[in-house]
Amino acid sequence: MYFVQSKRLSSIEGIVHGFADRNVCADIAEIEKHFELSKIAQLKQVHSADVLILNSVENHDDLSEGDALVTGLKAVGIAVRTADCVPILLVDDRRSVIAAVHGGWRGTLSEIAMNTVRLIESEYGINPSQLTAVIGPSIKKCCYEVGEDVASLFKERGQNSDQYLFDSRDSKYTLDLSLANKLGLQKAGVTDIEVIDICTRCNDSFYSYRREGRGVNTQLSFIALKQYARK
Ligand SMILES: [Zn+2]
């Protein structure tokens, strides 16, 4: 079962993770079995800034609305689904908590990555400097043109949007959504950040909303703490 892997996360013992492309089997049960996970929990993603904590598999409903999941449970995967939007996976240096974040332009605008880091800090007492974050395959600067309507929202927010929003042509702008999320993570205090340099629109192994349009399927990005105790 082939997944795109983060170099950084692959070097950390005690976790499993993967960024699926369109060739990975879509059967969640098979992926759970393959990685010996009791469940891979998901959410009904609604482009919000809402971060949910997964405290028990039994009480989790995959139809709960939100766009980021955080858990300290072992052998339980948490996942987001994307097709151009930015998947972000996080883990702390003691491997006590993990997070999976869905950052579309709306979530990015409302700083969902930073919200996730803040929640991990308040609920688990983990300093952001203890976190490793990986920004997965997503639409990159080469392919993400937005109109004045979206651009103006980022400009109005006034948080150094000139670092990731560039004039393109005819009142269009290029939005570097990966970089916007990276800057959000940095602002929250995360320093260890890997960006996987794969554009989902350029690379047709991946589902892409911009390339394939409405009704496009989505790829799964997941992370899990392994069952065995940390040494
Ligand atoms: Zn591209």
Side-chain angles (χ1 to χ4, degrees):
M1 207 174 273
Y2 174 79
F3 286 84
V4 169
Q5 297 266 299
S6 143
K7 284 198 185 82
R8 193 65 192 85
L9 294 183
S10 300
S11 73
I12 299 173
E13 277 185 44
I15 58 169
V16 288
H17 81 284
F19 297 94
D21 65 12
R22 70 196 310 147
N23 303 309
V24 174
C25 102
D27 186 351
I28 286 279
E30 268 188 49
I31 301 174
E32 288 165 347
K33 191 173 160 208
H34 183 83
F35 290 98
E36 300 177 333
L37 304 173
S38 62
K39 181 179 175 66
I40 294 178
Q42 302 182 64
L43 290 170
K44 183 181 176 196
Q45 298 172 187
V46 291
H47 293 277
S48 69
D50 298 336
V51 187
L52 277 70
I53 294 180
L54 178 71
N55 283 321
S56 97
V57 171
E58 292 72 31
N59 294 335
H60 178 75
D61 179 354
D62 279 347
L63 295 177
S64 301
E65 292 190 355
D67 291 86
L69 264 172
V70 174
T71 194
L73 296 175
K74 305 275 190 238
V76 176
I78 48 176
V80 289
R81 292 192 158 277
T82 56
D84 285 345
C85 290
V86 182
I88 306 169
L89 302 178
L90 294 136
V91 63
D92 72 303
D93 59 0
R94 301 174 64 181
R95 282 140 290 165
S96 55
V97 63
I98 49 174
V101 182
H102 161 240
W105 72 259
R106 286 186 184 83
T108 303
L109 184 69
S110 46
E111 311 209 70
I112 187 162
M114 188 158 75
N115 291 351
T116 306
V117 172
R118 296 262 156 87
L119 187 78
I120 290 173
E121 192 173 14
S122 62
E123 292 293 320
Y124 295 85
I126 287 165
N127 190 290
S129 64
Q130 294 174 261
L131 293 170
T132 293
V134 178
I135 292 173
S138 57
I139 195 163
K140 301 290 181 184
K141 197 172 104 181
C142 45
C143 291
Y144 199 38
E145 202 173 63
V146 297
E148 183 67 47
D149 50 342
V150 172
S152 63
L153 293 171
F154 280 92
K155 283 193 265 184
E156 279 162 23
R157 206 181 60 169
Q159 287 160 345
N160 303 327
S161 60
D162 55 331
Q163 289 183 46
Y164 55 82
L165 187 68
F166 312 94
D167 283 329
S168 175
R169 55 176 177 93
D170 306 331
S171 311
K172 297 278 189 189
Y173 295 82
T174 301
L175 177 56
D176 190 338
L177 214 49
S178 285
L179 181 57
N181 279 285
K182 184 180 178 183
L183 293 170
L185 288 163
Q186 286 174 335
K187 196 171 133 197
V190 182
T191 54
D192 184 10
I193 305 170
E194 177 184 351
V195 179
I196 294 180
D197 190 21
I198 295 175
C199 173
T200 46
R201 192 180 184 219
C202 285
N203 187 330
D204 59 16
S205 302
F206 292 85
Y207 295 115
S208 165
Y209 182 87
R210 282 285 172 111
R211 193 180 61 247
E212 299 171 76
R214 209 167 268 281
V216 66
N217 210 331
T218 49
Q219 46 245 346
L220 186 89
S221 300
F222 82 97
I223 185 165
L225 298 168
K226 285 191 191 171
Q227 183 64 63
Y228 59 75
R230 186 163 51 83
K231 283 180 189 140

